[in-house]
Amino acid sequence: MFQAPYGTHDILPEDQTYWSFLKEKIESLAPLYGYERIDTPIFEEAGLFVRTVGVDTDIVEKEMYTFADRSGGQMTLRPEGTASVCRAYIEHGMASRSQPVKLFYQAPIFRYERPQAGRYRQHHQFGFEAIGDGDAMLDAELIDMAWRFFDSLGLKNLTLQINSIGCPKCRPAYLAKLREYYAGHKEVLCGDCKGRFDKNILRLLDCKKPTCQPLTTSAPRSVEHLCQECAEHFEQLKTHLSTLQLPFEINSSMVRGLDYYTKTVFEIQPEDERGQSTIAGGGRYDGLIGELGAKPTPAVGFATGIERIILNLKKQKVAMPNAQKSTVFIAWLGEVARQTAVKLSGELRQMNIASLITYTPRSLKAQMRQADSAGCNYVAIIGEEEVAQGNVTLRDLRTAKQEPVALAKLVEKLQEIH
Ligand code: HAM
């Protein structure tokens, strides 16, 4: 038997309420902060991600779904959303629009990861990108939006962690310090970190292995090695976050897994699972647009993993609004009644009254059971007698009371009690 590919999943009807709940929340929140929806293709030229996410990141090294298309081009299923949005910003000349251009998306994301709870090979993100302004006020506004989003969902016990990882001016000196520090501990580093030592030293701070973790505590901190511009930016960010009353913590070992970040980085996590199930992450990426060959343009953004949010909503038992269910079940008995039932179902739906019906002849008892398990409130019963009298027997399933209602009056009656 075929199964969904390892690390992917079907979203069954019973889970769709979570998805529509989140979509509604995002769609009402985004305009409050001036964000407009953008959709980009599911695949892009592989080079786009190699150039922006970074050759030495896990994503590019071992997680991309890359394939040759029939004309020989190397294509990659989107492993994140930021690069595509920046590509679209450049391609559509959005630099000539009023800046910053604020865009949001809901997108499937593909990463060949080792699947486990909350980590999939296809997951979905809501992402927000604000392109064209370098002020820390924009970073704070974006973080505020992320925080308000989770608050509006009813999620509790989250932590907001921020850090600044500097810019191409100050980072090289900091990386040299970091390399010097880790060189003294090279023998205890895990295999991955030994590999990253030469290629991506910053990522050593992010290692969760028990042998490496204690080393991060006394490692040099990026916030203590910022140039004046980055230090001022970080100070302003903290001031604005305090003004917005956001309860942030500084986490000096948070560096993020993508190479494009400059200055601000941040993550939001459930309190009890530190680092294991980040539900939102992002930061500033002032070099990315320039890296793609356009005029250097500052930008900041974040994305949230939808499946991880849903896991947390379930864990915290956050109740979902009731989904709209069908109100009326049309139960019919006999071939003559079938025609009346077909006609009635059409009329009800035309009046926007949701109705269900049985297709293959069934006993009245079986149809009642079907109505009950579908969550219908009413059953309109049509048998030979009803056809002869031009009415239906309308049964309220909650009170078990029933009464005859003239067919011509049924729509009106249902609209009244609906
Ligand atoms: P990211 O941290 O790689 O950032 O992913 C964003 C969020 O997607 C994570 O915080 C997590 O909730 C979720 N996520 C990541 N990988 C998986 C997975 N394998 N399974 C389930 N959920 C996952 C980015 O992708 C950046 N593009 C964010 C950004 C936007 N930075 C600036 N703008």
Side-chain angles (χ1 to χ4, degrees), residues 77-103:
L77 294 182
R78 171 175 53 206
E80 65 102 42
T82 311
S84 306
V85 171
C86 291
R87 195 260 313 132
Y89 173 90
I90 299 168
E91 187 174 334
H92 301 286
M94 293 194 213
S96 63
R97 300 185 185 187
S98 159
Q99 306 290 298
V101 171
K102 292 171 159 183
L103 302 165

Side-chain angles (χ1 to χ4, degrees), residues 116-120 123 276-277 307-308 311:
Q116 50 182 274
R119 182 175 298 154
Y120 311 105
H123 73 277
Q276 301 306 312
S277 72
E307 286 82 355
R308 287 195 192 171
L311 280 177

Side-chain angles (χ1 to χ4, degrees), residues 63 75 82 107 174 185 222 249 259 269 304 342 350 366 397 399:
E63 294 174 0
M75 297 293 162
T82 311
Y174 170 62
H185 302 279
S222 55
E249 296 168 14
D259 274 359
Q269 294 167 3
T304 77
V342 170
Q350 250 177 1
L397 285 180
T399 59

Side-chain angles (χ1 to χ4, degrees), residues 15-255:
D15 265 346
Q16 295 289 346
T17 43
Y18 287 95
W19 289 77
S20 26
F21 173 68
L22 293 177
K23 194 161 176 273
E24 264 168 39
K25 292 283 180 190
I26 280 285
E27 281 170 356
S28 57
L29 185 78
L32 288 182
Y33 290 80
Y35 285 77
E36 293 179 299
R37 169 116 187 190
I38 185 167
D39 290 289
T40 61
I42 266 183
F43 60 90
E44 299 267 1
E45 277 182 53
L48 174 69
F49 303 111
V50 177
R51 178 88 67 88
T52 55
V53 174
V55 266
D56 296 324
T57 57
D58 285 352
I59 293 181
V60 171
E61 266 187 353
K62 49 189 186 200
E63 294 174 0
M64 295 209 305
Y65 282 90
T66 300
F67 58 96
D69 71 6
R70 285 172 194 271
S71 51
Q74 288 293 105
M75 297 293 162
T76 297
L77 294 182
R78 171 175 53 206
E80 65 102 42
T82 311
S84 306
V85 171
C86 291
R87 195 260 313 132
Y89 173 90
I90 299 168
E91 187 174 334
H92 301 286
M94 293 194 213
S96 63
R97 300 185 185 187
S98 159
Q99 306 290 298
V101 171
K102 292 171 159 183
L103 302 165
F104 80 100
Y105 48 91
Q106 176 182 346
I109 304 286
F110 304 87
R111 295 182 188 174
Y112 189 81
E113 297 208 68
R114 202 142 39 94
Q116 50 182 274
R119 182 175 298 154
Y120 311 105
R121 290 188 175 168
Q122 179 185 341
H123 73 277
H124 298 75
Q125 293 184 355
F126 291 122
F128 289 79
E129 316 292 348
I131 307 173
D133 199 301
D135 202 285
M137 213 171 122
L138 181 58
D139 307 36
E141 183 192 83
L142 183 92
I143 295 173
D144 180 60
M145 179 171 62
W147 191 255
R148 302 287 164 225
F149 171 55
F150 294 120
D151 193 47
S152 76
L153 301 181
L155 277 182
K156 303 257 177 306
N157 304 327
L158 302 179
T159 62
L160 164 60
Q161 302 181 7
I162 63 165
N163 194 15
S164 175
I165 55 170
C167 69
K169 268 186 279 164
C170 50
R171 199 178 304 157
Y174 170 62
L175 295 185
K177 280 248 161 14
L178 210 53
R179 197 163 283 119
E180 195 183 303
Y181 168 78
Y182 276 109
H185 302 279
K186 222 172 165 181
E187 65 292 349
V188 297
L189 292 177
C190 71
D192 281 349
C193 285
K194 280 193 178 117
R196 287 177 189 139
F197 183 88
D198 291 317
K199 294 196 291 186
N200 201 342
I201 188 79
L202 205 56
R203 289 303 309 283
L204 269 65
L205 291 171
D206 208 20
C207 185
K208 305 284 182 291
K209 302 253 168 62
T211 45
C212 302
Q213 247 202 337
L215 295 176
T216 57
T217 325
S218 31
R221 293 153 49 94
S222 55
V223 285
E224 284 159 12
H225 297 84
L226 298 175
C227 59
Q228 198 185 347
E229 185 192 323
C230 289
E232 279 172 12
H233 194 273
F234 194 51
E235 282 312 307
Q236 286 159 8
L237 172 68
K238 289 186 286 181
T239 305
H240 297 317
L241 291 178
S242 301
T243 306
L244 290 163
Q245 299 188 313
L246 296 181
F248 64 89
E249 296 168 14
I250 297 168
N251 177 350
S252 50
S253 63
M254 192 229 303
V255 294

